[in-house]
Amino acid sequence: MPAPMRLSLALLLIILLAGSAGRADGASPPPLAPAELRCHTPFTLPQVKLKDHSLFAFDGWYYLVSISIDLPAPDDRSELQFAYARTQDFCAWEALASPLRHGAPGDADEAYVWAPHVISVGGTYYMYYTGVNHQIAQSIMLATSTNPADPQSWQKQGVILRPDHPGAVYPGPAQWSDCRDPMVLAYGGRYYLYYTGADTSGPIVGVAVADGPAGPWSDLGAAYIPPAAERVPESPYVVDQDGVFYLFYNATGPTDNGARWRWAVSPLGPWQPGARVGVGWAHDFYHDQAGWLVSYLTGNGAAISVDQLRWRRPGPLAMPQVGAQLYAPLVIR
């Protein structure tokens, strides 16, 4: 049997074993067939462009927090605060006051705030985001709340990560430095913070690890290195489905861009080829006892739609289905 075929069969065997063993943190995987949503009303704001966002739940409500750009704007360099809204049924949205704005002169987020991502641990909500100074130097920052229903409850905790792994290309606060779009996965008693940046290998999705949601974080470097033709990937999100990990991201190549997903049997990769995601961009995910939800941008940021994320199992590898579209993965042979 050729060596590549042996590799493919070995990977599929690992998937089967991982699925039978369950999650390393002891939690049950979400169901494969979530209940139907009552409505699919997209979230919009008049004269506002939306970008990277996060979907989470608190006290019977689902919340969205998103980059907000007031229109008309000459470019995207007006990302001064986050939009904030909530719904109980995805039929109607209630707009709330902004939970977070750019900082004061000299702060790491003095110019812009990008790409919020929210998780809940032990009653505390952690909002990871990208702070940007006037030199477009980017840092991963944190704000926390124990009552996210009150937008004013979010308190900034400062910078938690700047790349420092061997080979990292991060010039620092005096010039453009890539380190943005944070996303945190809890798995196996540890926390994995994914970000996009660059090192001597080129553009990367990097990853740092910590024993707690606030850090301290140890930067491990590249979790995924895109093809040489691509620029820095955007909006990474790693989903753990029954012991198999799915990396969703926006490819930014000059000719072959758009939303993609890949899969692996470890949160650190290596990531096997997957497929395009034909619906939306900047995908974010949330799951509870009802199953998976996926939120994504439509148009040029005109709206954020929320739908179910379903999983299909024609074989040992579950395949994500966003909306009505199904994407079959490729296995290296």
Side-chain angles (χ1 to χ4, degrees):
M1 181 183 296
M5 181 63 75
R6 289 197 300 271
L7 174 60
S8 298
L9 293 175
L11 284 168
L12 292 177
L13 178 60
I14 292 171
I15 292 168
L16 287 170
L17 292 174
S20 64
R23 292 168 55 100
D25 57 9
S28 298
L32 296 181
E36 294 292 331
L37 295 179
R38 274 187 60 191
C39 300
H40 295 81
T41 304
F43 170 61
T44 62
L45 286 173
Q47 292 299 106
V48 170
K49 177 180 178 179
L50 304 166
K51 294 181 69 177
D52 293 48
H53 60 281
S54 185
L55 176 68
F56 65 97
F58 172 71
D59 197 23
W61 292 80
Y62 291 95
Y63 286 77
L64 270 176
V65 57
S66 171
I67 295 176
S68 172
I69 302 171
D70 292 333
L71 299 175
D75 55 33
D76 283 356
R77 294 292 174 257
S78 59
E79 299 146 322
L80 306 181
Q81 64 182 3
F82 291 148
Y84 204 38
R86 66 182 184 176
T87 183
Q88 288 185 307
D89 53 14
F90 298 102
C91 296
W93 291 91
E94 177 188 357
L96 303 172
S98 176
L100 192 138
R101 291 182 54 85
H102 70 97
D107 291 347
D109 59 356
E110 64 180 354
Y112 314 112
V113 289
W114 296 346
H117 172 69
V118 178
I119 67 171
S120 172
V121 180
T124 297
Y125 285 73
Y126 297 80
M127 183 191 297
Y128 307 89
Y129 69 100
T130 307
V132 188
N133 70 12
H134 289 302
Q135 286 68 48
I136 318 299
Q138 303 150 30
S139 306
I140 305 302
M141 304 182 70
L142 176 65
T144 59
S145 170
T146 56
N147 180 26
D150 177 7
Q152 296 183 344
S153 69
W154 290 97
Q155 300 296 313
K156 293 183 179 181
Q157 306 299 329
V159 175
I160 60 169
L161 179 70
R162 290 177 173 130
D164 61 2
H165 61 273
V169 176
Y170 187 81
Q175 57 184 296
W176 186 303
S177 300
D178 292 306
C179 179
R180 58 184 176 272
D181 297 0
M183 177 268 158
V184 172
L185 170 72
Y187 179 76
R190 307 197 77 188
Y191 294 84
Y192 296 81
L193 190 161
Y194 299 87
Y195 65 91
T196 63
D199 63 17
T200 52
S201 66
I204 65 169
V205 174
V207 62
V209 297
D211 293 326
W217 297 93
S218 176
D219 183 19
L220 301 182
Y224 169 64
I225 301 174
E230 293 189 14
R231 297 186 291 269
V232 175
E234 305 282 355
S235 310
Y237 201 110
V238 175
V239 170
D240 168 20
Q241 171 56 35
D242 202 14
V244 180
F245 300 87
Y246 298 80
L247 169 63
F248 292 79
Y249 66 101
N250 289 344
T252 57
T255 59
D256 188 25
N257 53 30
R260 303 279 192 280
W261 64 266
R262 291 173 172 264
W263 64 274
V265 294
S266 161
L268 301 178
W271 300 96
Q272 300 299 309
R276 287 177 176 268
V277 183
V279 179
W281 54 287
H283 294 78
D284 189 272
F285 302 85
Y286 174 79
H287 73 80
D288 57 19
Q289 69 278 4
W292 285 95
L293 294 175
V294 54
S295 56
Y296 50 88
L297 289 157
T298 57
N300 189 30
I304 298 174
S305 295
V306 180
D307 210 331
Q308 295 159 290
L309 178 70
R310 294 183 174 90
W311 302 91
R312 296 290 184 254
R313 291 189 181 276
L317 180 65
M319 296 185 293
Q321 179 182 344
V322 178
Q325 298 201 15
L326 183 67
Y327 309 100
L330 302 175
V331 177
I332 297 174
R333 298 186 183 277

